[in-house]
Amino acid sequence: MVLKNLNDLNRLVQGGSRKKLVLAAAQDEHSLGAVIRAWKENIIEPILIGDKVGIQNICDSNNYDISGLVVIHEPNPEKSVELAVKMTSSKQADILMKGKIGSSSLLKCVLNKEWGLRTGHLLSHFALFEVETYHKVIAVTDVAMNIAPNLQEKIAIVNNSVQCLNRLGYVMPKVAVLGAVEMVNENMEATLHAALLSKMNQRDQIKNCIIDGPLAFDNAISLESAQHKGIRSEVAGDTDLLLMPDIEVGNVLYKSLVFFAKAKVAAIILGALVPIVLTSRSDSEQAKFDSILLAAAASR
Ligand code: COD
């Protein structure tokens, strides 16, 4: 079953056990607001690590009562992430969440060889978007972690995302591998990768999904546009997952969807010991809440 909107994530976490979520550098208004809402709705049991005064000030000005929560004082954001990652790797938390700290600082900690959250798999970013002009939720990867993935890394990124979509209830998600054009052009590496990924999928080297590419963005999301170009494809116009050529394209699409198209977004890191809620610092409280829902659904 596909997700029609991000609200559908609620259905997936209903009746499940409450997940322990540790929020690192918790002195962040939108992150705290989202965590407290998810706590009140019995989705998570939070642990807050960060600057206690900053956390309390946000709670006071929003009338949040956090007297029942574990709050660990660590004013240094890097150290608070280190503590949160160590708690997670020692199985004291099911979900890690980023508060007021840059993505790459948090990811470096997560990748720490001694106490990080590595599993031997590639870690990748996975985002879900609800856009008014598309008939269902669309997943996009990787817009925030892997900078310029090679073919092998793209295979791992697809596998991470497909596994997550399977867990969310998708049986054979349709994957569009994006390029600037829909024809293979030897001077455009993204189109070569796309053609290889499609063939590997046909030969069952990449399973549990239907992959087609290269597809330009319009062919991937609009059947009319694909038909206009004479493209025959099971994926065109009905894509569940868009695979980005690189982080620049991905990040610009992410921000364009949110700022121009007013899309709703939920995002996590996959492939680590636990799902990691990693939204942009400019994302809304709603986006952070939906990302917690996604992490809880993915960690079932
Ligand atoms: N999965 C698993 N292991 C990885 C991954 C990955 N995706 N990336 C790196 N590693 C391993 C490497 O194999 C190596 O052992 C170690 O981690 C360090 O690798 P480096 O030197 O390539 O990695 P770093 O620490 O310099 O950088 C890793 C980041 C994830 C921080 C880097 O790729 C990055 O900055 N990505 C973009 C993050 C960002 O700014 N996003 C914001 C957009 S909103």
Side-chain angles (χ1 to χ4, degrees):
M1 190 142 88
V2 302
L3 299 168
K4 289 284 177 207
N5 51 52
L6 291 185
N7 213 21
D8 282 350
L9 289 168
N10 275 296
R11 174 172 46 80
L12 300 178
V13 299
Q14 289 315 314
S17 60
R18 285 209 298 188
K19 305 289 172 201
K20 280 200 175 138
L21 177 148
V22 58
L23 175 61
Q27 60 282 8
D28 175 68
E29 186 146 21
H30 287 169
S31 304
L32 257 183
V35 164
I36 286 165
R37 183 175 156 201
W39 173 48
K40 299 267 183 229
E41 294 186 19
N42 279 325
I43 298 157
I44 56 159
E45 207 176 297
I47 302 161
L48 308 177
I49 307 182
D51 177 19
K52 256 190 175 170
V53 177
I55 294 169
Q56 198 55 56
N57 284 344
I58 294 170
C59 292
D60 290 346
S61 54
N62 289 282
N63 287 323
Y64 300 145
D65 176 8
I66 55 162
S67 49
L69 291 188
V70 177
V71 183
I72 299 170
H73 180 58
E74 178 44 81
N76 179 305
E78 274 76 22
K79 285 191 182 149
S80 92
V81 171
E82 182 175 333
L83 192 53
V85 169
K86 284 179 173 165
M87 284 181 79
T88 310
S89 58
S90 62
K91 307 248 178 340
Q92 295 174 67
D94 308 304
I95 298 170
L96 170 68
M97 178 166 172
K98 173 179 95 93
K100 201 170 187 176
I101 186 159
S103 297
S104 75
S105 305
L106 180 122
L107 291 172
K108 278 175 195 282
C109 272
V110 166
L111 290 172
N112 184 285
K113 286 193 175 116
E114 280 130 51
W115 43 260
L117 304 177
R118 290 165 176 250
T119 56
H121 294 289
L122 189 85
L123 274 65
S124 58
H125 187 269
F126 173 83
L128 293 178
F129 292 91
E130 176 188 326
V131 202
E132 245 178 49
T133 45
Y134 197 59
H135 57 286
K136 57 184 170 181
V137 162
I138 191 157
V140 184
T141 189
D142 176 328
V143 308
M145 183 162 191
N146 291 285
I147 295 172
N150 59 27
L151 179 65
Q152 203 182 12
E153 289 164 338
K154 284 182 183 173
I155 295 167
I157 292 170
V158 169
N159 281 330
N160 278 349
S161 303
V162 167
Q163 225 173 61
C164 181
L165 286 166
N166 290 158
R167 216 166 285 160
L168 300 181
Y170 290 69
V171 180
M172 286 292 269
K174 295 178 183 174
V175 183
V177 186
L178 288 191
V181 290
E182 57 284 343
M183 296 300 173
V184 175
N185 179 329
E186 66 197 56
N187 295 316
M188 296 184 189
E189 194 184 39
T191 68
L192 298 174
H193 285 169
L196 288 165
L197 290 165
S198 304
K199 184 51 78 180
M200 290 176 81
N201 176 242
Q202 277 180 15
R203 294 283 181 270
D204 231 11
Q205 288 174 274
I206 305 173
K207 297 184 204 302
N208 301 325
C209 60
I210 303 165
I211 303 182
D212 196 13
L215 288 170
F217 183 70
D218 53 340
N219 321 139
I221 56 142
S222 154
L223 184 60
E224 196 187 343
S225 161
Q227 283 172 339
H228 191 66
K229 287 202 170 156
I231 298 167
R232 288 189 309 276
S233 162
E234 258 188 278
V235 172
D238 197 33
T239 298
D240 294 303
L241 172 69
L242 290 166
L243 177 70
M244 295 293 121
D246 60 33
I247 197 170
E248 267 90 23
V249 177
N251 208 264
V252 172
L253 177 64
Y254 177 166
K255 302 283 161 66
S256 311
L257 287 172
V258 171
F259 284 87
F260 272 164
K262 303 294 172 209
K264 285 177 75 185
V265 61
I268 55 175
I269 295 287
L270 299 170
L273 215 55
V274 299
I276 302 165
V277 175
L278 189 118
T279 48
S280 172
R281 268 174 289 182
S282 61
D283 279 330
S284 64
E285 184 176 311
Q286 182 67 44
K288 290 176 199 287
F289 175 77
D290 288 335
S291 303
I292 295 172
L293 283 180
L294 173 58
S299 75
R300 283 181 311 152

